[in-house]
Amino acid sequence: MELIYVCKICGRENKIEAEKLLASKELVCENCQHHSALTSGNDTPKRWDESLNMEQERAACYNDRAKALLVLAGAGCGQTKTLIARALFLHRELNVPAEKIALLTFTRKAAKEISERLNMEVAGMGDRMFVGTFHRFCLDLMRHYSGYFDCAGFKLIDRDDQSAVIRKLRNDLAIPENAPEILVPKVEELCGILSYMNNAMVAVGDYFSRFPCTLAETPKYVEEIVAGYRQYKLENRLLDFDDILSMTARNLTDISDFRRLVQNKFDHILVDEMQDTSPIQWAILKPLYPSVNLFCVGDDAQSIYSFRGADFKNVHNFCDQLPDSITLKLTENYRSSQEILDISNMLLQNAAVEYKKDLRAHKGYSGHEPELYTFHSDFDEANFTLKSIRSKLRNGVRPSQIMLMFRSATHARIIEHTLRTAGIPYRFIGGMSFLQSSHIKDVISALEAVTSFKYELAWHRFLCLHRKLGDKTSFKYFLAIQNAPDHKTGLQMMGCNLAPKYPDLGEFLQNFDPDRPPADLLKDILSYFEKTKLLEEKYDNWEDRKKDLLLLCRIAAKYSDTEHFLEAFKLDPDTEVLEHDNDTESKITLITVHSAKGSECDHAYIFRVQNGVFPHVKAVSDDEIEEERRVLYVAMTRARKELILTRTVSDSDRFLTNEMVKRMERRTQAKGW
């Protein structure tokens, strides 16, 4: 007689003959080799935390032989809760010091929330543990073990600075006059290529091998720009964000003493959003294993950042890459109704990749199926949306619980216009953040210039804000102070040189004292800009932009040192004070799907669920198409109560099967359209 039992560690179904079971009195899992004694039916396991379900607790409290554990957590299944519970279990039950645990996240906001929740459970635990992003983790290692990194005196540059260097290098290329426009990628695309190459750990040739239609000469020009960019950084002692990861990964791989120091520093590393890790991030984690235990939480079905170098195979191949590892699952969803999960599960069932997702709704069935509407035009779609939103608002739905999701920001224009015309308040998430805005970068460049007389990029941007002061002239002024013995002398020299033609600027620089807290420096810089009206004349909506600058001062007030403020601003901005739109309850949310990841709402709309949008028109390869499926899955699983999909064509669906359409489709005529 053959019996089946489910392993409490990895969830695997195992078959065993009854005779062998009675003889051994022991259950042995074929997958993870977990041994457990045969117990009577009255024996119930003791719960460690009643707030966790059995799957969450099994993962959080794992204490068997495996040194690496992957938790496949479906959307809304409590992966953050499980991650926090794991840290608490290690500290409380296994007596692991908080300082020996690192928890890696992908955003500062997530790190802050986790740290605060840990502090609520154990006083000071979230502060003693490392809780932060991969970049912050690596930067801390670079500081703590600076002797292993040849980066003393290096400055951290952001994407704007990188673009400026790339633009100059691109302009200096010897491109034939009659060359096609697409021969050399644009600056922003080049920056994206550089970042992808670093994160995916591939060379120029390997990158372009993914695009068979690339012109034969293009890789040669890109290679020249890449080499020039690296040389420029070296000569000017600059580091970009990607350098922080690559230098750490290289040292962990190549320098055994450094690797041992990091291995001794941590006993456990916990990783959130494992599906979003790139090869370079994996190259940081893997050398630490098995000396350091790994606990990784993620969802392969929510891997949507391959354009950044993320590789969902880090999840799919986890156990193959790490011996002595196991996988557990979280399948109970606490967010959505079962109807929404059924449609989401159906989307994945037709995938080329086997995700093995079958999420169960904790709240069960709601009696409300997801809805699919087909429209003849964009305007019909927008008018329907307006009418639908007005109906919800009249029935007491809070605006903050309505979310409109778009594959890209351009798809939102008509609906955004319709809402604005109707006087319905909204906020748009997914475009440029205020920290990336030009007026903010102008002020930051001024701060960097007056606190570092050798920073060419900052001086160039700051000086070129002034009338009749262009590239060549700014470079001439910059060169003139490079032999100054110290910073204050450099400022004095720059001020004296500029005073005849630019008296206000000359006076400002000669009287400027850089040895003060960053908030005070910013106030002086803003006073100068207010006096000269340089920014006011350059930008529209100046009164709104002034509010942004005041927020910048609030951020700076948290730092006593300008270098640390600038570093944090570029690498890891403090988002706490950035929530300056406090009136979010009265506004509906328009958001791109990539920005919506991590969010949820009661009423979710997804627009243009049709070929050319889902999947995107630029998605060509099988891998790209499959990622587009995951993008749609992420969008669907944001909804708690109601999910509405729209399209403007009915015969070109790649992802919506006949079964899905039959289940969801609603005739617009029934709603008065």
Side-chain angles (χ1 to χ4, degrees):
M1 180 180 175
E2 206 171 50
L3 303 175
I4 296 177
Y5 80 96
V6 179
C7 177
K8 67 178 182 179
I9 300 299
C10 69
R12 166 94 176 247
E13 289 188 353
N14 293 267
K15 295 180 180 179
I16 188 170
E17 293 180 6
E19 294 81 2
K20 290 184 179 179
L21 179 60
L22 292 171
S24 66
K25 305 280 185 168
E26 188 178 53
L27 299 167
V28 183
C29 177
E30 296 174 1
N31 182 47
C32 68
Q33 299 302 308
H34 175 75
H35 292 244
S36 59
L38 187 62
T39 59
S40 68
N42 294 327
D43 292 340
T44 55
K46 183 181 178 182
R47 300 295 306 278
W48 178 69
D49 186 344
E50 295 288 344
S51 71
L52 304 173
N53 66 34
M54 293 298 292
E55 291 178 331
Q56 294 167 344
E57 185 170 77
R58 184 175 66 201
C61 303
Y62 179 81
N63 189 30
D64 215 307
R65 65 174 185 83
K67 302 283 287 183
L69 181 62
L70 172 66
V71 181
L72 280 176
C77 291
Q79 67 180 55
T80 302
K81 184 179 183 179
T82 305
L83 203 65
I84 293 170
R86 176 63 174 177
L88 292 170
F89 177 79
L90 291 173
H91 185 59
R92 285 173 168 170
E93 304 300 322
L94 302 187
N95 299 314
V96 180
E99 295 80 2
K100 302 285 282 184
I101 306 170
L103 197 157
L104 306 185
T105 66
F106 274 80
T107 65
R108 175 169 178 153
K109 182 179 180 182
K112 184 176 182 295
E113 291 174 354
I114 290 172
S115 184
E116 289 176 347
R117 288 168 66 175
L118 287 170
N119 282 336
M120 290 174 60
E121 294 289 338
V122 179
M125 181 179 175
D127 300 324
R128 298 195 307 275
M129 267 178 63
F130 175 87
V131 185
T133 63
F134 269 90
H135 284 91
R136 176 55 62 185
F137 178 74
C138 293
L139 196 60
D140 282 4
L141 292 179
M142 291 171 70
R143 283 181 178 159
H144 195 72
Y145 305 109
S146 57
Y148 293 96
F149 294 87
D150 181 24
C151 56
F154 275 71
K155 291 188 70 66
L156 186 63
I157 62 172
D158 62 13
R159 188 63 172 258
D160 266 17
D161 292 334
Q162 184 187 49
S163 296
V165 177
I166 296 296
R167 184 173 291 104
K168 183 180 183 305
L169 293 168
R170 189 181 186 278
N171 291 338
D172 291 343
L173 289 174
I175 303 174
E177 286 187 13
N178 298 324
E181 190 175 342
I182 62 170
L183 179 63
V184 182
K186 302 295 185 184
V187 172
E188 282 306 303
E189 187 179 352
L190 285 167
C191 290
I193 291 171
L194 277 166
S195 184
Y196 181 92
M197 286 168 51
N198 187 84
N199 281 280
M201 303 176 72
V202 298
V204 171
D206 295 326
Y207 174 84
F208 282 105
S209 67
R210 301 160 59 236
F211 308 104
C213 296
T214 302
L215 296 176
E217 294 295 304
T218 298
K220 182 191 74 172
Y221 288 110
V222 173
E223 186 71 68
E224 187 176 337
I225 291 172
V226 170
Y229 176 65
R230 289 170 177 166
Q231 185 63 28
Y232 183 91
K233 287 192 296 178
L234 188 63
E235 290 175 354
N236 293 275
R237 302 191 69 75
L238 304 174
L239 292 175
D240 61 30
F241 300 156
D242 297 322
D243 292 328
I244 296 170
L245 300 182
S246 58
M247 291 173 71
T248 305
R250 184 168 57 250
N251 282 3
L252 284 171
T253 301
D254 297 342
I255 305 175
S256 58
D257 288 347
F258 172 66
R259 181 169 61 251
R260 279 194 292 272
L261 287 169
V262 180
Q263 289 171 336
N264 291 333
K265 183 176 175 63
F266 300 105
D267 289 340
H268 295 265
I269 292 179
L270 285 55
V271 183
D272 195 14
E273 306 288 1
M274 184 64 187
Q275 77 280 353
D276 294 334
T277 54
S278 63
I280 195 69
Q281 291 165 329
W282 186 244
I284 293 166
L285 295 172
K286 197 170 181 181
L288 301 175
Y289 180 83
S291 298
V292 178
N293 292 271
L294 297 180
F295 183 91
C296 304
V297 181
D299 182 3
D300 49 351
Q302 296 190 71
S303 179
I304 59 174
Y305 294 113
S306 67
F307 61 91
R308 297 179 184 171
D311 188 352
F312 86 108
K313 295 185 181 67
N314 288 341
V315 168
H316 262 213
N317 301 337
F318 186 89
C319 290
D320 294 333
Q321 296 190 66
L322 298 180
D324 200 18
S325 60
I326 66 166
T327 299
L328 303 180
K329 289 184 178 182
L330 305 183
T331 59
E332 188 170 4
N333 176 288
Y334 291 85
R335 177 186 301 157
S336 307
S337 67
Q338 190 62 53
E339 288 92 340
I340 293 171
L341 293 183
D342 286 346
I343 289 296
S344 304
N345 291 335
M346 289 168 70
L347 177 70
L348 296 182
Q349 287 166 6
N350 293 284
V353 176
E354 189 175 5
Y355 296 101
K356 297 181 179 179
K357 288 286 182 296
D358 191 18
L359 302 186
R360 309 181 310 278
H362 180 76
K363 61 180 70 173
Y365 287 93
S366 67
H368 190 86
E369 289 281 354
E371 299 178 352
L372 171 67
Y373 294 93
T374 304
F375 300 96
H376 296 297
S377 71
D378 301 344
F379 296 98
D380 285 347
E381 181 184 58
N383 288 330
F384 164 81
T385 305
L386 176 62
K387 185 176 180 179
S388 177
I389 289 172
R390 279 174 166 169
S391 175
K392 287 178 174 57
L393 297 176
R394 284 196 301 268
N395 290 322
V397 174
R398 289 179 292 134
S400 61
Q401 287 306 316
I402 301 174
M403 182 185 292
L404 279 54
M405 287 178 280
F406 305 87
R407 178 60 183 82
S408 65
T410 56
H411 297 139
R413 288 173 181 168
I414 294 176
I415 288 178
E416 187 177 6
H417 173 76
T418 302
L419 295 175
R420 186 166 56 246
T421 303
I424 293 181
Y426 67 90
R427 58 178 185 148
F428 192 93
I429 303 173
M432 183 181 293
S433 73
F434 109 90
L435 289 179
Q436 298 171 308
S437 302
S438 293
H439 61 296
I440 296 291
K441 291 297 182 67
D442 286 340
V443 173
I444 289 294
S445 292
L447 177 62
E448 290 182 303
V450 297
T451 55
S452 177
F453 73 98
K454 290 186 176 293
Y455 193 3
E456 180 189 351
L457 294 172
W459 275 110
H460 174 75
R461 181 162 186 158
F462 176 45
L463 293 178
C464 287
L465 290 171
H466 297 78
R467 304 169 194 88
K468 297 181 181 181
L469 211 165
D471 294 352
K472 292 182 179 178
T473 309
S474 71
F475 186 64
K476 181 185 72 174
Y477 283 120
F478 174 75
L479 284 182
I481 66 169
Q482 293 312 292
N483 293 324
D486 55 64
H487 183 63
K488 285 188 176 180
T489 305
L491 283 181
Q492 291 288 325
M493 291 172 61
M494 180 70 83
C496 288
N497 293 338
L498 287 163
K501 290 186 177 181
Y502 304 91
D504 288 337
L505 178 57
E507 182 184 2
F508 169 70
L509 293 174
Q510 290 181 77
N511 296 327
F512 194 86
D513 179 11
D515 299 326
R516 292 175 294 154
D520 294 340
L521 301 182
L522 279 175
K523 288 176 184 176
D524 282 357
I525 292 170
L526 294 180
S527 295
Y528 170 73
F529 281 131
E530 188 171 353
K531 177 184 178 181
T532 57
K533 298 188 181 301
L534 290 173
L535 298 185
E536 187 175 350
E537 293 174 359
K538 181 180 178 182
Y539 297 106
D540 57 3
N541 302 322
W542 179 241
E543 290 304 314
D544 290 335
R545 293 177 187 268
K546 280 175 67 176
K547 296 176 184 177
D548 292 343
L549 298 176
L550 293 175
L551 282 173
L552 186 65
C553 291
R554 286 174 57 193
I555 298 174
K558 294 193 169 192
Y559 298 84
S560 59
D561 177 77
T562 300
E563 184 180 353
H564 286 162
F565 162 65
L566 288 170
E567 180 187 277
F569 175 85
K570 293 181 177 184
L571 179 67
D572 208 13
D574 187 346
T575 56
E576 181 182 3
V577 299
L578 304 185
E579 304 297 332
H580 53 294
D581 186 6
N582 296 319
D583 189 25
T584 57
E585 282 295 307
S586 66
K587 297 178 180 178
I588 67 172
T589 298
L590 278 63
I591 192 167
T592 61
V593 178
H594 283 85
S595 300
K597 191 168 177 292
S599 302
E600 57 186 61
C601 65
D602 286 348
H603 307 273
Y605 296 73
I606 309 173
F607 296 90
R608 310 288 177 83
V609 185
Q610 61 200 50
N611 200 30
V613 182
F614 290 102
H616 196 275
V617 66
K618 292 184 178 179
V620 177
S621 70
D622 291 344
D623 287 347
E624 290 170 335
I625 296 292
E626 198 52 48
E627 177 158 324
E628 290 293 303
R629 184 188 303 275
R630 297 194 293 268
V631 171
L632 181 56
Y633 176 80
V634 166
M636 287 179 169
T637 53
R638 300 310 94 195
R640 287 195 286 259
K641 297 179 179 179
E642 182 183 32
L643 176 63
I644 295 176
L645 285 67
T646 75
R647 57 184 182 175
T648 55
V649 292
S650 61
D651 60 350
S652 62
D653 291 329
R654 183 154 188 164
F655 293 151
L656 301 183
T657 63
N658 290 334
E659 184 183 0
M660 295 171 70
V661 171
K662 185 177 179 180
R663 182 164 174 173
M664 292 189 294
E665 193 168 28
R666 303 291 187 275
R667 295 188 179 276
T668 53
Q669 289 84 351
K671 297 278 185 176
W673 296 99

